[in-house]
Amino acid sequence: MKKTTPEGNKLTGIFCHIFGHHYTVSKRVTEHIKEYKCLHCQKQVTTDERGKLSALTPVMQEINKTLEEMYQKRNRRTSTVRRQVA
Ligand SMILES: [Zn+2]
């Protein structure tokens, strides 16, 4: 039997609709912002600036990428600044 249509997604979509999504962290952007993915329907969401979950759109992905880079740079700098100053 060949799998030609994403029937599974449709069924898990109903499952999520009834029981709610089962999100797991797919990416840690900053200390407070994370990206999540639903185990059942693969829906992706992210924490927005108010700490609420919103859909992970391409725009949000770009914002998160920028935030992640800034966050990592800042962390790297704070750990080396002490050495440079002293
Ligand atoms: Zn789901």
Side-chain angles (χ1 to χ4, degrees):
M1 216 163 74
K2 262 202 279 178
K3 273 185 192 171
T4 45
T5 47
E7 278 299 315
N9 276 350
K10 215 192 256 177
L11 282 174
T12 51
I14 294 166
F15 184 88
C16 289
H17 186 71
I18 299 166
F19 299 104
H21 298 287
H22 187 169
Y23 292 123
T24 51
V25 177
S26 60
K27 191 177 170 186
R28 191 173 182 263
V29 180
T30 70
E31 205 175 323
H32 303 292
I33 297 169
K34 294 180 185 77
E35 288 177 7
Y36 302 88
K37 197 179 196 177
C38 177
L39 285 177
H40 303 297
C41 67
Q42 312 301 306
K43 181 186 164 77
Q44 286 180 290
V45 291
T46 183
T47 329
D48 65 17
E49 68 278 6
R50 283 159 298 180
K52 282 184 171 182
L53 289 181
S54 54
L56 186 65
T57 58
V59 176
M60 289 301 276
Q61 257 173 328
E62 273 304 304
I63 294 170
N64 281 355
K65 218 171 95 181
T66 313
L67 283 174
E68 190 186 12
E69 279 165 16
M70 279 165 58
Y71 181 72
Q72 285 174 355
K73 256 182 222 165
R74 198 181 59 188
N75 273 13
R76 216 175 298 147
R77 208 186 301 150
T78 47
S79 60
T80 50
V81 146
R82 198 180 285 255
R83 223 177 296 155
Q84 284 170 350
V85 171

